[in-house]
Amino acid sequence: MSFDLSPTSRPSGLAELRAAYARERAGLDRTVPSGPTPAADPAALGVALGRRHAKLLDDLLVRLFHLLRESGNPGRAAWDAVAIAGVGGYGRGAAALRSDLDVRILARDAQRASAIADALLYPLWDMGVTVGHQVVTIDDLIEGAREDLPTATSLLDWRHVVGDASLSEALWQRAVSGIFAHSELPGFIERLGKEIAQRHERFGGSVYLLEPDVKNGAGGLRDLDVARWAAKARYGVGEFDALVRFGALVAREAEEIRGAAEMLWRLRNLLHAHSGRRTDRLSFDEQELCAGALGYSKTAGPAGHAGHAGDAPSPDEPAVSPEAIERMMSDYYRSARTISRALDVIVSRAMPTLTRRRRRDEDLGRGVRLFDGCITMSDPDLLRTDPAIALRLVSEAVERGVPLLPYARGAIVRAAGDPVFCAALRESPEAAERFRALVATCKETALQSGSVVRELHDLGLLLAMIPEFLPVVGRVHHDVYHVYTVDVHSVAAVDRLAALVRGELAGEFGLPCRLAAEATRPTMLFFATLLHDVGKAIGGKDHSRRGAEMARTILERLGFPPEDVDEACHLILKHLVMYLIATRRDLDDPATISEFCQEVHGREGLRDLYLLTVADLSTTSPTAMTSWKARMLDELYLAADAALRGAREDGGPLGMDDQRMARAISGTVGALEDMPAANEDERRAQRDFLARYLASMPERYLLANSPAAIAAHAELARKQQHDGSGVLVALVPSRHPEAAELCVVAPDRPGLLAAITAALAASRLEVHAAQIHSRACDDEGFDGGVIRARSSSSPPAGVRLQAVDLFWVRDRGEGVGGVARAIPKLMTDIQAVLSGQISGAELAKKRRGGALRERPTPKVPTQISIDDRASHHTVIEVLARDRPGLLFAISDALYQLGLSISVAKINTEGTRVADVFYVSEADGTKISNGKRTQEVEERLRAVIQGLDGEGSVG
């Protein structure tokens, strides 16, 4: 059946309906700010807006249905034989700002009802409404639901809007007596579980992603939908207030879920408003807009909380501060975690028990029972009268290698939300003793959360025992280096320490595993690791010092002896020191090792700080602990340990372990034999040069690079020195799988590093790390006897020098694979700069001018520090946002200032670089304090700001 719906034949009321809808729709859009300007009423942006939108769509459908029915085309009988229902979010009574109108046209005869669909759809499309629809029968839906999960869940979202309500009622009765029957529920809930796992894997698998999907990600609104589906299938209702009445939730749980859902609804509507379409990814640039719209300020939470939300920033401040964004994201993560927990709780409670077998039930004493292979309590009232039973249950589960019964987990979670219970738990000596033991346990467990400390956190017992931990729950850094929230990272660091103690990471962390097994005060070390970031309040500074002060109160309350309290607080105070020195200071400088040794309490304190640093760094992000950083930490530990044992017997400067050095040299000699040689004369020349080469290079170099790479460096240096060529560049074996290693060999001269970095920028190569070395070409220091690397960072004065510079790079477009093709151009460009054919600035500018616009990332403030405490050099440290040409800009500025670079340490942390240069004046002296220091800092700051002025991206 067909009919004419041309503009001339449409009912006269259609134009008025279209105008009314457009007017109301515009009102919805005006509710949501399009930029970072705070909304007049943030509460109007969330679920309330979704309900307004759904109500608007309801009115539109009902009025359109009756308008078309009255027109008589198709006939009234056809309209009276269908039911129009909402599904999806619209069916649940709330539609996000740019969500589709999802409807089902339920009919007894689908073919005849297709005319109804046409009649409804064309006017809706003309009004700009995006419609998702199906014409279906009850049999179609019931049969489809058995195989297709979205069809099954659409029945749980089904909301009758207009038409024959008896059809909708008949559909629901068929569903509850069929696919949602009690005997069918386990199978349906298992299907939901598979959907959850597959979706989480597709969207990142973690609540704590830097740019989460607020709908489909873990802890997103879709998880809440799944919880509702499970509840409605089991109890016949999906609203949280109704679930409280059924006893499936307690009132406090329902209130927390509503609050979390409201936060995500506000964000989702803002994302839709900003993009003008359905989009759910909370990207970095959207985080700034959303934080502003929700009224977050530098000193407060969302609008309506204490503080100065909505105050205009000063001209020198961004519209929305990083602290405000961090506050908003912390609230998001807390909300997502609440939803994730709610999903687990509701789905587990919705799963019916159908088995009739007799279950094992054993009384273990003191209120603890082993039931059906799980630990539970004999009486839930014990949590009120004997709060320590909560930790007793966990202890017993860990000891027996079994999980907690879901019923017991739920009871503990509810109790841990009660301040009275938490206060009583902290007063219990038994609870303190068990808590200390649980945090320090290294046993593998069958607990639901995987690890002991993660289970304590998920149960709420970690916060019950350490309420000071609350401010860091969901606390996030607005950068791409710290991937996890502070609480998740802290728990992961404890888990990493436990894995080191068990020795299961010996292949990746050989030295840490050996030392972890020798820890003499493991419980103290585990708590120092757990609390190392407890002082990270948003917007606060010096979290190490604040954390140490907080930890003293916590550890004393938990019953630690005074000496353990003092040492744990010292470790927390110094927990960043080892990483910063290892990655940003010259480890061949005796002053560096001497200064570091003063920061630790003897060899035992050194070992504990090293283990804490490894556990901390390796869980900051999946890529934070590179092989280069691991070697630097190992090198610093061994150098400091040797210093604390006493200086080397020969009275020379502090150095590395002689056995490690001997292995490095022996391995390099062996690697040389595997390299090609034209004849025996060339092989002898290679061997002779290698001995002299190794003697001319610093100890740090031999211990930081693989034997195969060192042999390749030496051969390149031999060819350059023998042929007298200007510059040689080659790919050599890289220990860093994420980057290719380039070796650049050339006669050393002022400005060489600037020329190399200009060429790297022009070739579109990103520098992730670098080693800068200068060696004597005149056999200085080698007597033809035993090969020994030089102990100082700098070569002797007054000799010919050869630069051996190493860069770990990636092509911006093709990654590691694109580096080899860049080498010929790289050599040509370096030679062109050194010969004066083109300036380094002109060459680097070519690269920046052609840069593609990159995805926005969080802002990184530029910080420059100048330190003259090193033995023979001034140390310049630059922290800034990574961008093309940055390394050239810095090294060229230092060259133009007349400064000579002796050591450079290049370190990339997400979108931030930490570049450190050991420099001296032309006469070999340090930079003098005062005007000269100010001149250097101002020049560096100006050239970095100039990169942005030239249109550089980052």
Side-chain angles (χ1 to χ4, degrees):
M1 181 182 295
S2 63
F3 55 92
D4 182 13
L5 257 185
S6 64
T8 57
S9 68
R10 288 176 182 174
S12 60
L14 202 54
E16 289 83 351
L17 181 57
R18 183 188 302 110
Y21 171 74
R23 188 169 56 251
E24 294 299 320
R25 175 74 224 195
L28 276 183
D29 292 338
R30 285 194 300 272
T31 304
V32 187
S34 59
T37 305
D41 180 13
L45 303 180
V47 176
L49 184 64
R51 288 176 179 154
R52 278 181 62 196
H53 188 196
K55 179 65 167 58
L56 174 60
L57 295 172
D58 281 354
D59 292 345
L60 175 63
L61 274 178
V62 171
R63 291 178 64 186
L64 182 61
F65 182 93
H66 289 296
L67 191 65
L68 295 172
R69 179 178 178 273
E70 292 302 316
S71 73
N73 191 5
R76 291 189 179 186
W79 291 97
D80 293 342
V82 299
I84 312 296
V87 295
Y90 171 57
R92 293 186 295 272
L97 193 63
R98 295 292 173 186
S99 289
D100 296 348
L101 171 60
D102 287 328
V103 295
R104 298 293 179 267
I105 301 174
L106 181 61
R108 294 182 175 87
D109 185 335
Q111 187 173 1
R112 291 185 63 191
S114 61
I116 300 294
D118 291 341
L120 286 168
L121 290 174
Y122 283 101
L124 290 171
W125 289 337
D126 286 347
M127 295 179 198
V129 180
T130 304
V131 185
H133 80 287
Q134 282 182 299
V135 179
V136 291
T137 66
I138 292 177
D139 288 342
D140 291 338
L141 289 171
I142 297 300
E143 289 305 313
R146 296 188 184 279
E147 301 297 330
D148 182 56
L149 185 62
T151 300
T153 58
S154 73
L155 300 181
L156 296 166
D157 291 334
W158 192 276
R159 183 172 60 86
H160 182 79
V161 178
V162 68
D164 185 356
S166 67
L167 281 172
S168 293
E169 179 60 27
L171 172 64
W172 178 244
Q173 292 305 321
R174 283 277 302 275
V176 297
S177 63
I179 57 172
F180 302 135
H182 193 72
S183 60
E184 299 291 328
L185 281 180
F188 173 69
I189 291 177
E190 285 178 7
R191 291 165 68 190
L192 289 179
K194 290 179 182 178
E195 186 279 336
I196 294 167
Q198 292 169 358
R199 175 169 46 81
H200 286 182
E201 182 178 0
R202 197 163 64 250
F203 286 92
S206 172
V207 167
Y208 304 102
L209 297 180
L210 290 172
E211 296 179 295
D213 188 298
V214 300
K215 177 185 177 183
N216 293 297
L221 289 168
R222 178 62 79 212
D223 279 356
L224 211 52
D225 297 340
V226 175
R228 286 193 180 98
W229 294 333
K232 189 164 186 181
R234 174 67 190 276
Y235 306 109
V237 295
E239 293 306 311
F240 301 121
D241 287 341
L243 291 176
V244 172
R245 293 194 295 273
F246 271 83
L249 289 175
V250 297
R252 177 179 55 79
E253 289 173 325
E255 185 60 34
E256 289 174 352
I257 295 170
R258 277 194 295 269
E262 175 65 22
M263 176 69 184
L264 268 64
W265 265 96
R266 294 182 187 184
L267 288 170
R268 191 175 185 217
N269 283 328
L270 284 167
L271 292 173
H272 286 199
H274 295 159
S275 64
R277 57 188 174 86
R278 186 177 58 185
T279 183
D280 302 308
R281 184 162 168 267
L282 190 55
S283 59
F284 287 122
D285 51 343
E286 285 291 348
Q287 289 171 22
E288 182 173 340
L289 294 174
C290 290
L294 293 177
Y296 283 82
S297 72
K298 187 171 184 178
T299 58
H305 291 220
H308 306 286
D311 287 357
S314 71
D316 297 329
E317 294 180 343
V320 182
S321 71
E323 291 85 359
I325 298 169
E326 288 176 2
R327 287 182 186 277
M328 184 197 73
M329 291 306 297
S330 293
D331 284 348
Y332 166 79
Y333 290 125
R334 290 191 184 100
S335 298
R337 191 160 181 258
T338 296
I339 290 172
S340 187
R341 280 181 171 178
L343 175 65
D344 290 342
V345 167
I346 294 173
V347 170
S348 67
R349 292 174 187 172
M351 176 68 84
T353 302
L354 302 180
T355 181
R356 295 183 178 181
R357 67 178 175 83
R358 184 178 178 84
R359 301 188 178 193
R360 183 187 175 193
D361 188 359
E362 180 183 351
D363 188 351
L364 303 179
R366 301 191 65 195
V368 181
R369 303 187 74 85
L370 180 64
F371 177 75
D372 199 28
C374 298
I375 294 295
T376 187
M377 67 194 82
S378 58
D379 182 356
D381 197 48
L382 286 170
L383 286 167
R384 180 181 59 82
T385 60
D386 181 16
I389 194 174
L391 289 162
R392 205 178 302 142
L393 293 171
V394 181
S395 297
E396 198 66 48
V398 171
E399 187 64 31
R400 293 177 177 268
V402 298
L404 291 171
L405 194 70
Y407 159 77
R409 287 187 96 253
I412 293 172
V413 169
R414 286 194 293 271
D418 181 358
V420 175
F421 166 84
C422 295
L425 189 68
R426 289 192 294 273
E427 292 296 322
S428 167
E430 179 193 350
E433 182 180 355
R434 289 189 180 277
F435 185 68
R436 293 196 304 268
L438 285 168
V439 169
T441 189
C442 297
K443 287 187 175 182
E444 296 277 14
T445 76
L447 297 171
Q448 178 177 314
S449 302
S451 79
V452 176
V453 179
R454 198 177 307 133
E455 181 84 345
L456 292 172
H457 193 19
D458 287 347
L459 292 171
L461 295 176
L462 178 58
L463 285 179
M465 293 299 291
I466 308 179
E468 296 90 342
F469 209 67
L470 180 61
V472 301
V473 173
R475 165 75 165 96
V476 62
H477 295 272
H478 190 55
D479 62 37
V480 299
Y481 183 62
H482 295 85
V483 173
Y484 308 112
T485 57
V486 175
D487 58 319
V488 170
H489 159 65
S490 300
V491 170
V494 173
D495 290 345
R496 177 54 51 87
L497 181 58
L500 294 176
V501 173
R502 290 193 297 267
E504 61 189 39
L505 300 175
E508 184 180 0
F509 298 102
L511 180 60
C513 282
R514 177 170 65 81
L515 294 175
E518 301 170 359
T520 57
R521 291 188 283 179
T523 303
M524 179 278 298
L525 179 57
F526 272 96
F527 271 85
T529 304
L530 176 65
L531 300 174
H532 74 278
D533 278 344
V534 74
K536 278 189 172 176
I538 293 175
K541 303 298 182 183
D542 197 3
H543 77 274
S544 300
R545 183 171 299 281
R546 185 168 58 250
E549 295 168 355
M550 294 171 66
R552 183 169 298 279
T553 302
I554 295 167
L555 296 173
E556 287 174 349
R557 185 176 67 237
L558 291 172
F560 278 84
E563 60 271 18
D564 282 2
V565 173
D566 289 343
E567 185 59 25
C569 292
H570 180 76
L571 289 172
I572 293 168
L573 179 65
K574 302 295 182 180
H575 78 271
L576 295 175
V577 169
M578 192 168 193
Y579 168 73
L580 295 176
I581 290 178
T583 58
R584 302 182 188 177
R585 291 296 180 266
D586 180 11
L587 302 187
D588 288 327
D589 187 343
T592 298
I593 306 303
S594 177
E595 179 183 339
F596 174 63
C597 287
Q598 297 174 24
E599 302 280 4
V600 299
H601 290 167
R603 295 181 66 198
E604 184 178 335
L606 169 65
R607 179 191 58 217
D608 289 343
L609 181 60
Y610 169 75
L611 291 172
L612 171 54
T613 304
V614 170
D616 180 15
L617 179 60
S618 63
T619 54
T620 296
S621 77
T623 59
M625 177 65 93
T626 63
S627 54
W628 173 75
K629 290 176 184 176
R631 287 198 299 277
M632 292 297 100
L633 286 172
D634 289 356
E635 184 177 335
L636 178 56
Y637 169 80
L638 293 167
D641 189 58
L644 293 169
R645 287 199 317 266
R648 288 197 331 206
E649 293 179 1
D650 62 7
L654 295 174
M656 301 304 296
D657 182 84
D658 286 339
Q659 291 184 352
R660 290 182 71 220
M661 185 63 65
R663 285 196 300 271
I665 292 173
S666 173
T668 303
V669 171
L672 178 70
E673 299 301 318
D674 295 331
M675 296 181 66
N679 49 50
E680 189 56 35
D681 287 342
E682 185 176 37
R683 179 65 78 198
R684 279 195 297 270
Q686 289 175 335
R687 292 169 182 158
D688 178 67
F689 184 83
L690 179 64
R692 300 173 189 282
Y693 176 82
L694 295 176
S696 69
M697 296 298 282
E699 291 177 338
R700 165 175 49 89
Y701 164 79
L702 268 67
L703 293 165
N705 296 283
S706 69
I710 294 172
H713 304 160
E715 181 63 6
L716 198 64
R718 184 183 73 85
K719 290 179 179 178
Q720 190 279 326
Q721 189 170 325
H722 179 269
D723 299 342
S725 53
V727 180
L728 286 182
V729 182
L731 274 174
V732 298
S734 175
R735 274 189 174 178
H736 302 277
E738 68 275 9
E741 180 178 340
L742 280 178
C743 178
V744 182
V745 181
D748 204 0
R749 52 170 280 184
L752 175 62
L753 180 60
I756 295 171
T757 54
L760 290 170
S763 296
R764 300 178 182 271
L765 297 180
E766 297 175 319
V767 180
H768 288 257
Q771 294 178 20
I772 309 301
H773 303 288
S774 190
R775 58 175 291 271
C777 297
D778 298 331
D779 301 335
E780 185 76 24
F782 181 64
D783 57 10
V786 176
I787 301 173
R788 189 185 192 107
R790 74 170 196 254
S791 56
S792 64
S793 298
S794 303
V799 297
R800 288 187 303 118
L801 298 178
Q802 181 186 55
V804 181
D805 295 344
L806 311 176
F807 300 88
W808 284 267
V809 299
R810 289 174 58 87
D811 182 273
R812 292 183 70 83
E814 302 179 56
V816 173
V819 175
R821 285 191 291 276
I823 290 179
K825 180 179 185 299
L826 196 62
M827 292 175 59
T828 302
D829 284 346
I830 296 172
Q831 197 65 55
V833 175
L834 293 177
S835 64
Q837 296 176 34
I838 187 174
S839 71
E842 290 173 325
L843 185 61
K845 193 172 183 179
K846 287 183 179 180
R847 160 63 184 93
R848 293 201 297 276
L852 296 174
R853 188 180 188 279
E854 297 180 354
R855 203 161 50 81
T857 56
K859 296 178 175 62
V860 178
T862 298
Q863 302 174 53
I864 299 170
S865 66
I866 300 177
D867 183 358
D868 64 358
R869 289 177 294 176
S871 297
H872 306 293
H873 302 89
T874 297
V875 180
I876 298 176
E877 184 174 302
V878 179
L879 304 179
R881 177 173 59 85
D882 194 13
R883 67 202 90 177
L886 176 63
L887 183 55
F888 161 72
I890 297 171
S891 53
D892 185 58
L894 296 176
Y895 169 58
Q896 299 297 336
L897 285 163
L899 298 172
S900 176
I901 301 171
S902 175
V903 176
K905 302 193 83 167
I906 310 303
N907 188 19
T908 303
E909 301 172 344
T911 55
R912 185 180 79 160
V913 294
D915 293 347
V916 180
F917 304 87
Y918 279 63
V919 304
S920 58
E921 298 283 7
D923 60 2
T925 61
K926 297 182 182 181
I927 298 175
S928 59
N929 290 324
K931 290 184 178 179
R932 178 60 167 165
T933 299
Q934 183 178 353
E935 177 191 8
V936 171
E937 180 175 348
E938 289 176 351
R939 179 65 175 273
L940 289 173
R941 198 172 295 279
V943 298
I944 293 171
Q945 291 174 348
L947 291 177
D948 292 324
E950 294 170 8
S952 175
V953 295

